[in-house]
Amino acid sequence: MTRRVTGHFIEAVAGDGSPHSLTPFVLVRFGLGRLDPAIAMLVDTGADTTALGPRDALALLGRSYLDVDFDRGPGAIKVRGYGGSDGSALVSPMELWLRDTDEIDFPVLLNVAITKPSPAQPGDHGNWQLPSLLGRDILSHFDLALSYNPPSVSLIEVATV
């Protein structure tokens, strides 16, 4: 049996507000005792780790996200490249739920980097505008198919017998 998870392209906007390019996203749900609303995650073949951006982390974890100590303790790591700068994150095991084309949800247990917000409070600046990333740690379990005509994204998992 082959499972296929489809995504979509979003037109990315450059810093000056002009349309920049089409960027592939896949919808993912996180299991925190329930299936939360889907988060559009950027398919990033250059990211080693799946990362939850500040805006999505706040929506998923609530206000407690703003009180997390990202610089000390178990799971605290330094990250490079997210948003073009250095920062901190907290690595935490999470259950990601993908929905295949047959409308069947299936989980993937993964260590996710929850990125430190910069600045500390929500806004339209800093890394608050950056998307969450679907990194190679999860993409390596699938074949990735991108098509620009018509625009489509697919993660294809071929079951082994």
Side-chain angles (χ1 to χ4, degrees):
M1 176 183 139
T2 299
R3 278 197 271 216
R4 180 182 298 264
V5 176
T6 58
H8 58 282
F9 279 78
I10 295 175
E11 190 169 60
V13 177
D16 63 2
S18 64
H20 180 55
S21 65
L22 291 178
T23 307
F25 282 84
V26 171
L27 294 178
V28 175
R29 289 176 172 78
F30 287 81
L32 298 175
R34 63 194 184 289
L35 285 185
D36 291 291
I39 293 173
M41 298 190 77
L42 173 69
V43 175
D44 189 346
T45 60
D48 294 328
T49 305
T50 294
L52 196 57
R55 187 172 299 276
D56 293 330
L58 180 61
L60 184 67
L61 304 172
R63 302 287 301 170
S64 64
Y65 164 68
L66 300 174
D67 298 326
V68 172
D69 184 354
F70 289 90
D71 299 313
R72 291 191 268 309
I77 62 168
K78 295 293 181 193
V79 292
R80 297 188 67 170
Y82 183 75
S85 63
D86 295 342
S88 300
L90 184 67
V91 175
S92 178
M94 294 185 134
E95 200 169 66
L96 285 68
W97 286 80
L98 300 169
R99 179 170 288 167
D100 67 19
T101 53
D102 293 327
E103 299 290 317
I104 297 171
D105 292 324
F106 63 97
V108 177
L109 184 61
L110 194 65
N111 286 325
V112 174
I114 303 167
T115 56
K116 178 180 180 178
S118 176
Q121 294 300 315
D124 291 332
H125 52 289
N127 68 356
W128 283 96
Q129 295 304 307
L130 296 177
S132 294
L133 306 177
L134 206 57
R136 285 194 313 267
D137 52 353
I138 191 169
L139 295 174
S140 65
H141 298 280
F142 298 91
D143 288 335
L144 172 63
L146 299 174
S147 175
Y148 289 90
N149 190 16
S152 65
V153 179
S154 295
L155 302 178
I156 304 147
E157 178 186 57
V158 179
T160 57
V161 184

